């Protein structure tokens, strides 16, 4: 197990191309949790970008192992999550920790969500679901990552909170999780091809496209104007997306993203987790 006294010496060897040295580094760093950001900060070690990248790759096996060991499969699979927001958020945290570089220091996912909630309510006596939507999306604080839509980072909610970018499902999740901290009712709509959020506005259900500046979509209008809408799409519009189904969609997105980037080992991990979350017959 790598200790703090060894770390500065090991880091000096990051750019040593000697195969035996690199193999020794791989063995040492793989035997960690995959995240040394707190240790690096405590030692005030400032790595060059190239060394940060090398170290992150060396720490990746540790992050893989940590994800597999800490992932808890509910009895009954994804369907068992139901309204278990605590377990749901913890699974999202594990995914964020895995996708993180393990080198740069950042707050945990719960802390980041708390910060956003505090910022959203600063100086306000009252905030509604719609006001939160305006504050987060119409303002441009959070926006769709159109230039890099398929990057796995879009599924890292901490990264999304830091950069203000995300894909449809990650942005909607930020909205939902922040709203929950403010006792607001924002749910998910598992619309095929483009995840949406759902709120009540003037006592009517309205869909929110978080990816496109939080634009509002009337449930009544989308159903009346799309006569050939699929049964699956109609069900998604009319019902709240179960937390487990949202999680499965994230896992499938990550499998596809890593396959697209030709990272088969990472894709295999998320395929395995996805399959493990399927309800047992």
């Amino acid at each position: 197990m790598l200790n703090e006294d060894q770390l500065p010496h090991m880091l000096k060897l990051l750019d040593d191309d000697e195969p035996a040295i690199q193999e020794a580094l791989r063995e040492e760093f793989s035997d960690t949790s995959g995240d040394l950001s707190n240790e690096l900060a405590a030692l005030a070690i400032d790595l060059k970008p190239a060394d940060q990248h090398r170290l992150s790759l060396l720490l990746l096996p540790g992050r893989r192992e940590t994800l597999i060991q800490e992932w808890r499969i509910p009895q009954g699979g994804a369907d068992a999550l139901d309204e278990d927001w605590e377990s749901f958020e913890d699974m999202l945290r594990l995914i964020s920790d895995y996708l993180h570089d393990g080198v740069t220091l950042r707050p945990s996912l719960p802390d980041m969500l708390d910060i956003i909630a505090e910022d959203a309510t600063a100086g306000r006596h009252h905030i509604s679901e719609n006001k939160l939507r305006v504050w987060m999306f119409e303002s441009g604080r959070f926006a769709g990552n159109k230039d890099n839509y398929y990057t796995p980072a879009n599924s890292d909610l901490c990264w999304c909170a830091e950069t203000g970018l995300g894909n449809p499902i990650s942005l909607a999740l930020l909205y939902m999780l922040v709203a929950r901290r403010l006792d607001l009712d924002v749910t998910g709509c598992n619309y095929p091809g483009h995840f949406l959020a759902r709120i009540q506005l003037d006592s009517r259900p309205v869909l929110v496209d978080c990816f496109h500046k939080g634009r509002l979509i009337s449930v009544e209008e989308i159903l009346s104007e799309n006569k050939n809408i699929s049964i699956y799409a109609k069900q998604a519009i009319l019902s709240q997306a179960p937390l487990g189904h949202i999680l499965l969609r994230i896992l499938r997105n990550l499998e596809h993203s890593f396959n697209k980037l030709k990272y088969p080992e990472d894709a295999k991990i998320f395929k395995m987790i996805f399959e493990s979350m399927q309800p047992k017959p």
Side-chain angles (χ1 to χ4, degrees):
M1 180 67 69
L2 185 67
N3 63 51
E4 199 170 284
D5 293 333
Q6 293 175 300
L7 186 56
H9 173 67
M10 302 295 290
L11 294 175
K12 290 177 182 178
L13 300 175
L14 285 173
D15 59 357
D16 190 324
D17 294 329
E18 176 65 33
I21 296 293
Q22 289 301 309
E23 180 60 29
L25 290 176
R26 275 192 290 273
E27 290 184 10
E28 289 288 351
F29 287 119
S30 65
D31 192 25
T32 68
S33 67
D35 190 321
L36 292 177
S37 57
N38 286 304
E39 290 83 351
L40 293 171
L43 293 169
I45 295 175
D46 187 18
L47 295 174
K48 296 179 293 186
D51 285 341
Q52 285 187 359
H53 180 66
R54 292 188 188 99
L55 179 56
S56 182
L57 291 178
L58 290 169
L59 291 170
L60 183 55
R63 290 199 298 281
R64 288 173 177 151
E65 186 65 24
T66 297
L67 175 65
I68 292 169
Q69 288 184 351
E70 294 189 4
W71 192 272
R72 296 291 177 262
I73 303 168
Q75 188 173 5
D79 287 345
L81 281 178
D82 195 19
E83 289 299 303
D84 186 355
W85 284 85
E86 183 176 348
S87 296
F88 178 65
E89 186 173 312
D90 194 52
M91 290 173 169
L92 296 175
R93 177 192 61 80
L94 287 172
I95 292 171
S96 285
D97 290 347
Y98 176 82
L99 295 173
H100 183 43
D101 61 14
V103 176
T104 54
L105 190 64
R106 69 181 186 183
S108 67
L109 177 58
D111 287 345
M112 282 192 164
L113 294 169
D114 289 344
I115 291 168
I116 297 172
E118 290 170 7
D119 289 346
T121 54
R124 293 174 180 267
H125 296 296
H126 171 72
I127 189 166
S128 64
E129 291 84 356
N130 192 46
K131 287 181 179 178
L132 180 61
R133 175 192 67 83
V134 171
W135 184 85
M136 291 183 69
F137 304 113
E138 281 194 9
S139 67
R141 285 181 177 87
F142 297 93
N145 190 2
K146 297 177 183 179
D147 294 334
N148 208 352
Y149 188 87
Y150 294 103
T151 176
N154 282 329
S155 296
D156 176 355
L157 292 190
C158 287
W159 182 86
C160 297
E162 280 186 320
T163 64
L165 297 173
N167 60 15
I169 193 167
S170 62
L171 293 173
L173 281 171
L174 285 180
Y175 186 28
M176 293 163 61
L177 293 166
V178 170
R180 184 166 177 80
R181 280 160 167 73
L182 301 175
D183 294 322
L184 302 176
D185 187 19
V186 178
T187 58
C189 170
N190 208 6
Y191 195 80
H194 195 84
F195 196 88
L196 302 164
R198 176 189 283 101
I199 62 173
Q200 291 285 327
L201 193 58
D202 298 327
S203 300
R204 293 184 176 184
V206 177
L207 302 178
V208 180
D209 185 350
C210 302
F211 190 81
H212 293 105
K213 302 196 72 171
R215 68 187 178 102
L216 297 172
I217 305 169
S218 167
V219 169
E220 295 175 356
E221 288 180 12
I222 196 171
L223 290 175
S224 62
E225 293 176 3
N226 294 273
K227 302 298 183 182
N228 296 321
I229 192 169
S230 70
I231 294 175
Y232 181 79
K234 188 174 182 179
Q235 288 175 340
I237 290 169
L238 293 175
S239 60
Q240 173 180 328
L243 298 182
H245 291 194
I246 298 174
L247 185 65
L248 289 175
R249 187 161 176 169
I250 294 167
L251 295 171
R252 185 62 90 192
N253 284 348
L254 282 166
E255 180 194 346
H256 290 164
S257 291
F258 280 121
N259 274 325
K260 191 177 181 69
L261 293 171
K262 302 190 184 306
Y263 295 144
E265 191 166 353
D266 300 279
K268 183 180 178 181
I269 286 174
F270 284 101
K271 180 181 181 181
M272 178 188 70
I273 294 175
F274 175 88
E275 291 174 348
S276 75
M277 296 295 290
Q278 297 297 322
K280 299 295 186 292

